[in-house]
Structures are given as structure tokens and as C-alpha cells.
Amino acid sequence: MTSDHPCIIIGAGAAGLMCAAHAGPGTLLIDHAAVPGEKIRISGGGRCNFTNLYCGPENFLSDNPHFAKSALARFTQWDFIDLVDRHAIAWHEKSLGQLFCDDSARQIVSMLRDEARRGGAVLRLGVSVAEIDHRDGQFVLTLSTGETATAPALVLATGGKSIPKMGATDFAYRVARQFGHRVTDTRPALVPLTLSGAPLEALKPLAGVSLPVRAACNGAGFDEALLFTHRGLSGPAVLQVSSYWREGDAVALDLLPGRDALAALRALRAEAGRKSPANALAALLPGRLAAHLGASLAPRGNMADLSDAALRDMAAALSDWRITPSGSEGYRTAEVTLGGVATDALDARSMESRNQPGLYVIGEAVDVTGWLGGYNFQWAWSSGWAAGTAI
Ligand code: FDA
């Protein structure tokens, strides 16, 4: 059996659902999962951090940092907030411009399903694509059901490789390559970093300790929380720098961000001179971390015994603690995939392929990766809208 459509979208996630709402009646939206938008449902601890008030092109990584500008400017965070408001979904700002649903991420999935239905799209779940051909101006898809589906427009919206347990695949990369596209190196991003050997043994007792820091790596720095884990380092600050980190690099941690560490230590020496450094540091840092650093930086004597030079060394250690991770937790826990279909052969306005007219690539599958904080969903909405309205 063959069905003809004006457009076929593969992947009913964030970008595919948004695209389906605008691609025109009769659009076929296919997903191999049993339900659409699963990553939306689990995102933001079940409340979906659906966009960011301060979203701009500077919040994204790509081989071409200009590529995301057009779509982000034409369908903005304000456009998505307007959509959310029209569906009467209550939301709040948590911090740093991050917007979350008051109730449930499921509301965002329902909203997008409604919008796609209203746009006349037909959703088919539990269906995968065995083969894609292009002849006589039509994409010809052989589906896992044995059916054939054809359309002059085909949208790749199958996302990246993160969380394979949820059905993530490299499908978009394979199809893009089939049509002559280059795929940049891909790696797990927004992911906890791991330690091994002596550094892991030294820091393992700190598992569970969390504090605000500035974490920096390869020119990028983030003022957010750090969390020590049984395997290494996590928390928003580390997830953010993980997108910039490469094997062998150290992550620099400022444990007293925005404070003059030497002045703070001098004040401690004056006020708590009879305390051990481990005890005194607890006024500045969580207790277990203070004990660990006090014992390793100044194992003997009290605060009053520390010379100016010793205080300076301690201040340097607190404001520029270098830790070299051995790896990351990988795609198993990474929120996103860094890299993807290279932007050089995509039209920034429409997401259409320059190699194969009628082929579009949107969302995480493209080499555009956002920071933590609602930016990746905004890219999915903006790129999905850009393709949908261009088709
Ligand atoms: P997405 O992954 O959403 O959708 C791809 C769809 O394609 C899926 O439905 C999948 O089943 C389907 N598919 C895959 N391969 C297929 C194949 N071969 N055949 C058919 N279908 C196939 N971002 C953010 O901005 N705020 C947040 O709060 C979070 N939180 C968050 C938490 C967790 C745990 C994760 C893993 C990720 C996030 N993210 C996030 C990132 C965000 O979820 C992600 O960037 C977007 O979902 C990407 O949207 P896409 O539509 O491109 O892919």
C-alpha cells in the first residue's frame, strides 16, 4: 500500500511536533516510539524547562556560530511563551531566565499534539523507516509495516544520540550522509564528568556535597552549582562546562565566586585564629569540603599560625582549583549530543538541504547545541517552526 503526502516528518519529538503544526494538512509524522515527545515529558524533572528568557545565539555551540541566528530571531522565546499562554499552561521562572511549567511537562506535549492535529498532521507511532529513496522529485519511504509513503518534502527530526534507552538513534546522521551531508564529530554534552584513580579516591568522600561555584574550561565559565558524586563531578556548572571540555583538559573551579578569597581568609585568621583551617573554612564552604581542603592545604596548626604566603597559596587553591576529569558518563546520561549534521549545506532560514531540495534537518540532529537552561528546546521550537513554515 502506498500513501502520498505533502510532507513526511520522521521523529515526533520537540522539533518534529512543532514542525508538524506548521507543515500543512496531510503531513505524516512518524515515530518509532509508542508515544511522542518522551524527552519533553521527562525534562526539567517532569516540569520541562521549555525556554529561556535570555535565549540568544551566544548560548549555542556550533562549528558555525551564526547559523542559529535566523531561526532563533524569527521564532523567539516570546513566541513560544505566547503559545504556552494561549494554551493556558501556568509557568514560572526558576532562575537565570529558565522557564518551567507549574504543573507538568505533559502539558507541553499535549499542547504540541493539539497544535499538530490542528495543523492537519497525521501522527503514526510505533513505525520506523527501513529505507529512503528519492526519485522523480519524491522521497519514497519504505516503512517497517511494509507500506510505502511518498512526499516531495522530508524532515529529519530524530534528534541526537543521548539516552539510547529512550530510543535515541543516529538515524538523522545516516540519512543526511546518504544525501551527501557532512556530519561533524559528535560527543555527549551537558553530561557529568568522571574521575578515576587517586583523584576519584580523594574526592569520593565528598559525594553529595553541593555548592555554588564558577566552573571554567576552554574559555567558557558558568556560575552555577557544583555537585560531587560517587563517580566524579556533576551539577549545572559541570554539565555546562562539559560541552567545552575535551579529554586531558582540567576544569577550573572557583569555590568562592565573586569573592576576594585572600581577604576572606585574612578575616578568618583574624576572627577564628584558634580554629584549625579545616574548621575555620566551614564558615566559607560546606563542612565536608572544608574539612577535605583544610586537611590537604594546611594539615598542621591553627589559622593564626598561617603566614601571609600560606594564606595566598590557600586563596589561590580555593579560587582556582584544577581538577582533570578522566571522562564523562557518556550518552547514557548526557542531556544532548554536541555536533551533528553540518550546517554548511543547510539553509539557515528554512533548514532545507542545499544538496537535496525538499530535505530538511531540524532540532538536535543539527550541529547546534544549546547550554543547559531551556536553550535546547528553544532551538527545537525555532528550527521546527522555520522548516514547517518554509515547506
Ligand atoms: P527529540 O529527542 O526530542 O525527538 C526525537 C524523536 O525521534 C523521538 O521521539 C524519537 O523516538 C524519534 N526517533 C529517534 N530515532 C528514530 C528513528 N530511527 N525512527 C523513528 N523515530 C525516531 N532541553 C531543554 O531545553 N530543557 C530541559 O529541561 C531539558 N531537559 C532534558 C532532560 C533530559 C533527561 C534529556 C535527555 C534532555 C533534556 N533536554 C532539555 C534536551 C532536549 O530534550 C532535547 O534537546 C530536545 O528534545 C531535542 O529535540 P528533537 O526534537 O531534536 O529530538
Side-chain angles (χ1 to χ4, degrees):
M1 209 176 82
T2 299
S3 59
D4 303 319
H5 306 271
C7 169
I8 300 173
I9 302 169
I10 310 175
L17 285 164
M18 176 55 97
C19 185
H22 297 278
T27 291
L28 177 65
L29 176 58
I30 295 175
D31 203 296
H32 65 175
V35 277
E38 272 297 85
K39 278 196 186 163
I40 303 173
R41 183 183 61 79
I42 62 157
S43 68
R47 291 222 160 86
C48 185
N49 176 194
F50 55 80
T51 192
N52 193 295
L53 291 178
Y54 309 116
C55 184
E58 61 283 1
N59 306 117
F60 294 83
L61 293 88
S62 170
D63 276 0
N64 176 3
H66 302 293
F67 181 81
K69 284 182 180 170
S70 170
L72 291 173
R74 289 167 63 234
F75 187 87
T76 68
Q77 57 271 44
W78 307 109
D79 293 315
F80 195 77
I81 292 167
D82 187 49
L83 182 61
V84 168
D85 286 344
R86 276 190 273 126
H87 283 256
I89 298 172
W91 53 268
H92 61 279
E93 179 186 352
K94 202 165 166 188
S95 61
L96 304 170
Q98 301 169 8
L99 304 191
F100 287 76
C101 297
D102 284 359
D103 297 326
S104 167
R106 290 177 197 273
Q107 295 174 291
I108 300 291
V109 181
S110 301
M111 175 188 84
L112 293 166
R113 283 188 81 156
D114 285 353
E115 288 288 314
R117 198 179 305 122
R118 200 173 297 170
V122 179
L123 177 61
R124 295 230 12 220
L125 297 166
V127 175
S128 52
V129 177
E131 210 182 305
I132 301 178
D133 239 342
H134 188 265
R135 38 180 196 264
D136 305 328
Q138 296 279 319
F139 292 94
V140 181
L141 276 62
T142 309
L143 306 183
S144 51
T145 53
E147 298 158 90
T148 302
T150 72
L154 176 67
V155 184
L156 304 178
T158 50
K161 294 194 275 190
S162 314
I163 325 266
K165 234 170 65 184
M166 290 185 69
T169 65
D170 63 353
F171 181 86
Y173 310 146
R174 281 189 272 126
V175 178
R177 282 196 184 102
Q178 178 188 336
F179 289 99
H181 283 265
R182 189 170 61 83
V183 177
T184 68
D185 287 343
T186 51
R187 53 185 286 127
L190 301 184
V191 64
L193 297 174
T194 53
L195 302 170
S196 58
L200 178 62
E201 291 316 309
L203 296 181
K204 234 184 204 172
L206 299 179
V209 170
S210 172
L211 73 159
V213 301
R214 179 173 181 78
C217 190
N218 287 323
F222 296 89
D223 289 292
E224 294 200 50
L226 159 75
L227 172 70
F228 292 92
T229 72
H230 290 286
R231 287 186 290 271
L233 306 173
S234 188
V238 169
L239 298 187
Q240 297 279 31
V241 291
S242 72
S243 299
Y244 295 84
W245 177 83
R246 295 293 179 273
E247 283 70 13
D249 293 338
V251 172
L253 299 174
D254 181 349
L255 303 180
L256 300 173
R259 295 186 64 174
D260 179 337
L262 183 57
L265 291 175
R266 281 200 171 118
L268 273 189
R269 185 173 61 182
E271 292 155 16
R274 283 204 224 154
K275 287 189 177 176
S276 69
N279 284 340
L281 282 174
L284 302 174
L285 300 169
R288 266 194 286 157
L289 179 59
H292 170 84
L293 289 171
S296 60
L297 297 173
R300 280 174 297 279
N302 290 332
M303 281 305 288
D305 304 324
L306 296 178
S307 65
D308 276 349
L311 279 197
R312 267 195 296 277
D313 287 349
M314 192 182 270
L318 296 184
S319 54
D320 189 18
W321 187 11
R322 303 284 170 122
I323 300 181
T324 303
S326 54
S328 84
E329 290 194 2
Y331 288 116
R332 189 179 59 81
T333 62
E335 274 200 17
V336 289
T337 302
L338 187 69
V341 177
T343 58
D344 49 10
L346 295 176
D347 183 309
R349 201 176 156 79
S350 63
M351 305 294 134
E352 188 174 8
S353 164
R354 294 189 207 282
N355 297 344
Q356 174 58 69
L359 180 68
Y360 297 76
V361 193
I362 59 175
E364 200 182 313
V366 181
D367 171 30
V368 173
T369 308
W371 289 358
L372 187 77
Y375 302 101
N376 284 295
F377 278 139
Q378 186 58 46
W379 171 246
W381 318 137
S382 298
S383 58
W385 180 92
T389 52
I391 289 166

